[in-house]
């Protein structure tokens, strides 16, 4: 039997085609995919790739796969079938997947997200969320409670990115956080920070994203660099002290440098974005203020606490879903919107089967 899937062949070449359906091995969970989000990484692959995707002739060391690769790593679904060795999951359960591709010897170890050849399902092989079904080892499958809708659950993966970024900052309740950029990851970082008791200041230019930050309540203050001096505004809000922590979520040089200036002495800046160029960073501020600049990538034991944040209502994911489209609309509508009109969208969800698009 076949199913429809979005397949990356090479830069600017993604095809919706029929491929063989996966089957569940003894340790696997076969999942009917409900929703899959389009990630900024997917856009980077389309425009500039292959980056994470192993190109033709260079199979990935873990999966052994190479382009063409089925895309999609932010997804939710329902268990269709389980392998003989799977005892804690059953058909009919709603689940999300921690979409790592990692050598098995590192599963469950400290900092497993930083191990050699680490990559992601939907980029390095192993199937993908932009398909009707996927088979995943039970180790990476997380059940979700019935009160968490499957569309919102598709945002657990990017929420985990944000959660880990906030963890990296070591911020605590009562601190003030400056988040540069109100795209999907910036907004979710603010949501996690708010849920953990921080005061949040967001810097953003886009009218739509400013409105989203305000309407969702994830930003206590929103500053538009076109209209005000961000550093001056942060100093006013913090009585001259500066923000305790900063999060760079744009990969724009001026945003990083603004955060370096606006964060207090001995404060922490977390770089969340993936840079496509070498930034011109004003490290003089970092040095003279004894700040810490920290990187963050992916997530580490973050899915369970994120499921709890979403299902308990501490983080409301629904407002961040701005579009729902069919698989056939992936490139012409989904990618086009995020590339050419990205100030009109936050998170675009794709239904591989077309179900749920009437809702």
């Amino acid at each position: 039997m076949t199913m429809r899937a979005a397949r990356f062949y090479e830069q600017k070449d993604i095809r919706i085609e029929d491929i063989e359906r996966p089957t569940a091995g003894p340790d696997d969970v076969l999942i009917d995919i409900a929703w899959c989000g389009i990630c900024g990484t997917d856009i980077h692959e389309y425009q500039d790739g292959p980056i994470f995707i192993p190109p033709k002739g260079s199979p990935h060391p873990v999966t052994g796969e190479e382009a063409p690769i089925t895309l999609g790593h932010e997804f939710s679904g329902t268990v269709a079938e389980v392998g003989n060795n799977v005892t804690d999951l059953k058909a009919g359960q709603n689940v999300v997947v921690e979409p790592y591709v990692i050598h098995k010897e590192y599963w469950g170890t400290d900092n497993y997200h930083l191990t050699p050849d680490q990559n992601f399902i939907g980029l390095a092989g192993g199937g993908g969320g932009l398909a009707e079904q996927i088979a995943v080892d039970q180790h990476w499958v997380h059940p979700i409670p019935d009160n968490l809708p499957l569309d919102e659950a598709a945002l657990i993966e990017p929420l985990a990115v944000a959660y880990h970024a906030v963890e990296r900052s070591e911020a605590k309740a009562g601190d003030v956080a400056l988040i540069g950029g109100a795209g999907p990851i910036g907004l979710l970082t603010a949501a996690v920070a708010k849920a953990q008791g921080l005061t949040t200041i967001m810097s953003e230019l886009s009218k739509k994203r400013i409105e989203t930050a305000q309407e969702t309540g994830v930003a206590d203050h929103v500053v538009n660099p076109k209209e005000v001096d961000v550093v001056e505004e942060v100093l006013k809000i913090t009585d001259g002290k500066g923000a305790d922590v900063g999060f760079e979520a744009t990969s724009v040089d001026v945003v990083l440098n603004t955060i370096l200036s606006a964060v207090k002495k001995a404060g922490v800046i977390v770089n969340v974005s993936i840079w496509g160029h070498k930034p011109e960073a004003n490290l003089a501020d970092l040095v003279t203020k004894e700040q810490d600049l920290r990187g963050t990538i992916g997530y580490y034991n973050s899915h369970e606490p994120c499921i709890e944040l979403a299902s308990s209502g501490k983080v409301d994911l629904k407002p961040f879903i701005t579009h729902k489209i069919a698989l056939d609309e992936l490139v012409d509508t989904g990618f086009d919107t995020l590339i050419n009109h990205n100030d009109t969208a936050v998170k675009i969800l794709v239904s591989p089967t077309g179900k749920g698009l009437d809702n």
Side-chain angles (χ1 to χ4, degrees), residues 96 142-145 148 156 302-312:
V96 293
H142 299 269
I144 59 172
L148 182 58
I156 291 294
S302 305
H303 275 63
E304 294 296 339
C306 285
I307 291 167
E308 170 60 24
L309 281 175
S311 62
S312 67

Side-chain angles (χ1 to χ4, degrees), residues 94 182 209 291 311:
N94 290 343
R209 291 181 173 187
Q291 295 168 327
S311 62

Side-chain angles (χ1 to χ4, degrees), residues 176 201 231-243:
V176 176
I201 308 169
V231 177
E232 286 184 7
E233 287 299 307
V234 171
L235 290 174
K236 283 181 191 174
I237 293 166
T238 59
D239 295 324
K241 184 181 72 169

Side-chain angles (χ1 to χ4, degrees), residues 23-357:
T23 55
D27 298 311
D28 292 341
V29 179
L30 183 67
I31 300 167
D32 290 327
I33 294 168
W35 297 100
C36 183
I38 303 175
C39 177
T41 304
D42 300 324
I43 300 296
H44 287 311
E45 293 288 347
Y46 176 71
Q47 291 185 295
D48 306 312
I51 303 167
F52 287 95
I53 292 173
K56 190 74 175 172
S58 300
H60 189 270
V62 178
T63 65
E65 295 185 48
E66 59 189 46
I69 292 286
T70 300
L71 289 170
H73 58 276
E74 302 179 357
F75 57 92
S76 63
T78 302
V79 176
E81 182 185 324
V82 298
N84 292 334
N85 296 338
V86 179
T87 57
D88 56 352
L89 292 163
K90 62 181 186 296
Q93 273 188 290
N94 290 343
V95 295
V96 293
V97 169
E98 186 175 352
Y100 273 133
V101 168
I102 291 173
H103 290 290
K104 195 164 186 177
E105 65 197 270
Y106 297 114
W107 292 7
T109 63
D110 285 343
N111 291 325
Y112 57 80
H113 64 311
L114 301 177
T115 52
D117 303 316
Q118 175 271 327
N119 207 307
F120 296 88
I121 292 169
L123 290 167
L130 289 168
E132 294 179 35
Q133 286 187 318
I134 189 171
V136 182
D137 190 285
Q138 62 181 325
H139 178 82
W140 302 111
V141 180
H142 299 269
I144 59 172
D146 291 338
N147 70 333
L148 182 58
L150 281 166
D151 57 350
E152 296 175 34
L155 274 68
I156 291 294
E157 195 273 350
L159 184 65
V161 172
Y163 181 88
H164 184 58
V166 175
E167 271 195 319
R168 291 282 295 140
S169 76
E170 298 183 288
K172 59 187 184 301
D175 283 350
V176 176
L178 170 62
I179 298 101
I185 294 299
L187 288 165
L188 290 173
T189 299
V192 173
K194 277 285 291 179
Q196 296 188 359
L198 277 69
T199 296
T200 54
I201 308 169
M202 298 204 78
S203 171
E204 176 57 54
L205 295 168
S206 158
K207 181 175 181 291
K208 170 67 176 176
R209 291 181 173 187
I210 288 171
E211 289 172 354
T212 302
Q214 292 170 329
E215 291 168 3
T216 57
V218 300
D220 293 303
H221 308 272
V222 181
V223 290
N224 185 339
K226 282 183 179 176
E227 299 173 357
V228 298
D229 183 301
V230 173
V231 177
E232 286 184 7
E233 287 299 307
V234 171
L235 290 174
K236 283 181 191 174
I237 293 166
T238 59
D239 295 324
K241 184 181 72 169
D244 298 289
V245 295
F247 298 91
E248 200 297 306
T250 65
S251 64
V252 174
D253 297 27
V254 68
V255 176
L256 173 59
N257 288 317
T258 298
I259 293 171
L260 287 167
S261 297
V263 168
K264 72 179 185 180
K265 293 179 179 180
V268 174
I269 297 97
V270 179
N271 184 98
V272 192
S273 60
I274 302 292
W275 293 79
H277 67 281
K278 291 183 179 179
E280 294 186 10
N282 182 14
L283 295 184
D285 274 349
L286 185 80
V287 172
T288 57
K289 295 166 75 174
E290 283 202 352
Q291 295 168 327
D292 286 358
L293 177 59
R294 301 177 183 177
T296 181
I297 187 72
Y299 25 77
Y300 171 69
N301 291 332
S302 305
H303 275 63
E304 294 296 339
C306 285
I307 291 167
E308 170 60 24
L309 281 175
S311 62
S312 67
K314 290 179 181 175
V315 171
D316 182 7
L317 294 170
K318 195 174 192 64
F320 301 115
I321 303 169
T322 52
H323 298 69
K324 290 180 176 179
I325 62 174
L327 191 61
D328 286 330
E329 301 173 279
L330 176 66
V331 175
D332 291 345
T333 299
F335 281 22
D336 178 69
T337 299
L338 293 173
I339 293 168
N340 299 312
H341 313 282
N342 73 346
D343 60 343
T344 68
V346 180
K347 182 56 65 176
I348 297 177
L349 296 185
V350 180
S351 170
T353 62
K355 293 179 181 176
L357 291 175

